[in-house]
Amino acid sequence: MFVRVVFSAMVMMLYSALCSAHSVTFIAEDLPPYHFINKNNEPDGALVDIAKAVIKQSHLTAKFEIMPMARIFKQQQANPNAIMLSLLKTPNRVNNFTWLGEVYFADAYLISLKSHIDEVVHLNFAKEYKVATIRGYSSEAYLKRKGFTENKNLVLVSYYQQLWQMLYKNRIDFVVTNTLTLNNELERSGLDPNLITKRIHLDELPSSLNFAASKLFDSQSAQEIAQGLAFIKENGEYSAILQKWQLPLPSTANKL
């Protein structure tokens, strides 16, 4: 009897392990229309639809969780089967994750208030002003490479709320950031998005948003997801999903 119980327990453990190995969890922050909780309290959005289409091309099952950004990296580290839906691929992240394919883009711009009357057509012209970005972001290293200096014409802050409050209070002249979360950041800061404008598109900054998993992610699952993403891009399903959500295709995005 004891042997039978032990054997049954081992079978159940093996079954659970196999199921777990073939199940993945996509995680992302609340960021409409890319990924968010809809009125039915379900994960929804363009990148959620893309992930679902990819999973249909594989032998995997998937669930989706929307959570605050602060929890996403912790969840990804704690769960080897977790996949971030839209992680910006930057030089300092390249070796820290398993990259499963590009799903969208996040263009970076030099941004100012519309009331800023001086014309700035090149980043070098902005050196006469105060330009701010988030400390530790790739934009900090980029601006320093371009000749901006802290305590002179470069202002570094820790949070996006500080960044936008300083711009709207005219304590800085420009902000360098990617614009994927722009409207969300402004609305959460209680600021009017209609008061700002994109001055210069900074195409040298990283813009590739990817499915990204930990280095412990199963290699077979990684291959299936990468192949599934490539397949839906080839058969037109990827484009159809972006059109459904009224999002520009990466190849036709407006590069101001």
Side-chain angles (χ1 to χ4, degrees):
M1 179 68 178
F2 175 75
V3 173
R4 184 181 300 173
V5 170
V6 171
F7 178 76
S8 298
M10 291 178 65
V11 169
M12 289 299 296
M13 289 174 64
L14 179 60
Y15 176 77
S16 297
L18 288 172
C19 289
S20 176
H22 291 86
S23 177
V24 298
T25 302
F26 286 94
I27 54 178
E29 64 179 317
D30 181 28
L31 185 61
Y34 308 99
H35 26 71
F36 61 97
I37 296 295
N38 64 22
K39 62 182 180 181
N40 297 320
N41 203 33
E42 298 173 342
D44 204 352
L47 300 190
V48 172
D49 283 353
I50 288 170
K52 288 179 178 178
V54 168
I55 291 299
K56 286 181 181 178
Q57 303 302 323
S58 73
H59 295 93
L60 305 169
T61 60
K63 63 179 181 178
F64 296 82
E65 295 183 6
I66 305 298
M67 61 187 68
M69 193 65 195
R71 282 183 52 205
I72 288 177
F73 285 101
K74 292 181 181 179
Q75 178 74 1
Q76 195 266 347
Q77 291 171 357
N79 180 4
N81 291 324
I83 302 171
M84 286 183 275
L85 268 172
S86 58
L87 185 64
L88 188 66
K89 192 173 185 179
T90 62
N92 62 324
R93 289 174 176 169
V94 166
N95 297 322
N96 297 329
F97 297 91
T98 297
W99 301 95
L100 307 175
E102 182 177 277
V103 290
Y104 206 54
F105 64 93
D107 283 339
Y109 287 87
L110 182 75
I111 295 172
S112 76
L113 292 173
K114 289 180 178 177
S115 58
H116 186 94
I117 58 175
D118 293 343
E119 189 68 24
V120 176
V121 295
H122 191 280
L123 187 61
N124 281 337
F125 295 173
K127 290 180 180 177
E128 302 300 319
Y129 303 93
K130 290 183 178 180
V131 179
T133 194
I134 303 291
R135 186 181 298 277
Y137 278 23
S138 57
S139 50
E140 175 191 351
Y142 170 77
L143 287 168
K144 287 180 176 178
R145 287 198 308 271
K146 293 297 182 180
F148 288 81
T149 305
E150 200 171 356
N151 298 322
K152 181 182 177 183
N153 52 14
L154 176 61
V155 178
L156 300 175
V157 300
S158 299
Y159 305 102
Y160 71 79
Q161 293 93 336
Q162 294 173 279
L163 195 68
W164 298 119
Q165 289 291 345
M166 291 179 73
L167 181 67
Y168 276 65
K169 292 178 180 178
N170 291 303
R171 294 178 182 172
I172 56 175
D173 302 291
F174 298 99
V175 165
V176 169
T177 186
N178 77 65
T179 55
L180 187 72
T181 61
L182 181 58
N183 284 346
N184 261 22
E185 290 177 7
L186 292 173
E187 289 171 4
R188 289 174 180 176
S189 301
L191 302 170
D192 183 359
N194 295 314
L195 298 181
I196 64 167
T197 186
K198 300 172 183 176
R199 296 286 182 176
I200 305 172
H201 176 240
L202 304 172
D203 55 9
E204 294 178 89
L205 273 169
S207 63
S208 177
L209 292 170
N210 289 252
F211 287 158
S214 79
K215 301 292 282 187
L216 299 176
F217 192 72
D218 177 67
S219 59
Q220 179 61 38
S221 298
Q223 184 177 6
E224 287 195 48
I225 290 172
Q227 290 175 345
L229 181 57
F231 180 78
I232 68 166
K233 287 181 177 180
E234 289 177 5
N235 72 5
E237 190 172 1
Y238 174 84
S239 298
I241 291 170
L242 293 183
Q243 289 170 2
K244 166 192 168 184
W245 290 94
Q246 299 181 340
L247 293 173
L249 301 178
S251 60
T252 59
N254 183 25
K255 307 291 187 181
L256 297 179

